[in-house]
Amino acid sequence: MLKITKNQAIKHGRPGVDGTYYQLPDINGGTTIAYAEFTGEHGERTIGGRSRIYYILEGNGEFMINNEKFDVEPGDIIPIPAHGTYNLWPKSKILKILLYMEYLDFDKLPK
């Protein structure tokens, strides 16, 4: 597949998060690229055996990785290590991010 259109992307949201997810099953053993807008807390998660990378597009926020908190702003890259525990909170009205992660199973996402 040479192109994934916005119409082929999967929309998923829950209170505080609206996301558009692009599934790439044949890249690096399966990869998902997501664009998300946070207006509320992400919710604490522990990831599996592959790292995730967040890129801050717009807004300000706070991340917590393995119990260490720090502020983020546009242009920052936040790598979440494999098996790491993390959470994030917007400090501005909206926090827009781009996320590179493992292939996402939407049946396992929080509703």
Side-chain angles (χ1 to χ4, degrees), residues 12-21 34-45 52-63 72 78 86-99 101 109-110:
H12 176 77
R14 64 180 193 280
V17 184
D18 283 313
T20 304
Y21 298 83
Y35 167 79
E37 297 181 352
F38 291 87
T39 56
E41 179 180 358
H42 177 279
E44 189 171 301
R45 308 272 190 285
R52 293 183 179 182
I53 300 170
Y54 280 79
Y55 177 75
I56 308 303
L57 296 167
E58 184 179 314
N60 296 296
E62 181 178 47
F63 262 76
V72 297
I78 300 89
Y86 76 102
N87 199 350
L88 69 95
W89 303 263
K91 286 187 153 184
S92 53
K93 183 176 180 180
I94 192 165
L95 178 62
K96 297 180 182 181
I97 61 97
L98 190 63
L99 170 61
M101 64 190 297
L109 283 181

Side-chain angles (χ1 to χ4, degrees), residues 1-107:
M1 177 179 292
L2 298 175
K3 173 180 161 181
I4 301 172
T5 67
K6 189 174 183 178
N7 291 337
Q8 294 169 307
I10 299 166
K11 298 288 284 176
H12 176 77
R14 64 180 193 280
V17 184
D18 283 313
T20 304
Y21 298 83
Y22 299 83
Q23 299 286 69
L24 304 150
D26 300 323
I27 305 243
N28 293 330
T31 298
T32 298
I33 304 292
Y35 167 79
E37 297 181 352
F38 291 87
T39 56
E41 179 180 358
H42 177 279
E44 189 171 301
R45 308 272 190 285
T46 299
I47 64 172
R50 286 182 53 192
S51 299
R52 293 183 179 182
I53 300 170
Y54 280 79
Y55 177 75
I56 308 303
L57 296 167
E58 184 179 314
N60 296 296
E62 181 178 47
F63 262 76
M64 185 229 17
I65 300 174
N66 296 330
N67 295 316
E68 182 179 341
K69 288 186 177 181
F70 53 91
D71 291 335
V72 297
E73 61 185 34
D76 289 348
I77 288 180
I78 300 89
I80 312 293
H83 308 291
T85 298
Y86 76 102
N87 199 350
L88 69 95
W89 303 263
K91 286 187 153 184
S92 53
K93 183 176 180 180
I94 192 165
L95 178 62
K96 297 180 182 181
I97 61 97
L98 190 63
L99 170 61
Y100 178 88
M101 64 190 297
E102 72 280 359
Y103 195 75
L104 200 54
D105 181 348
F106 284 88
D107 291 333

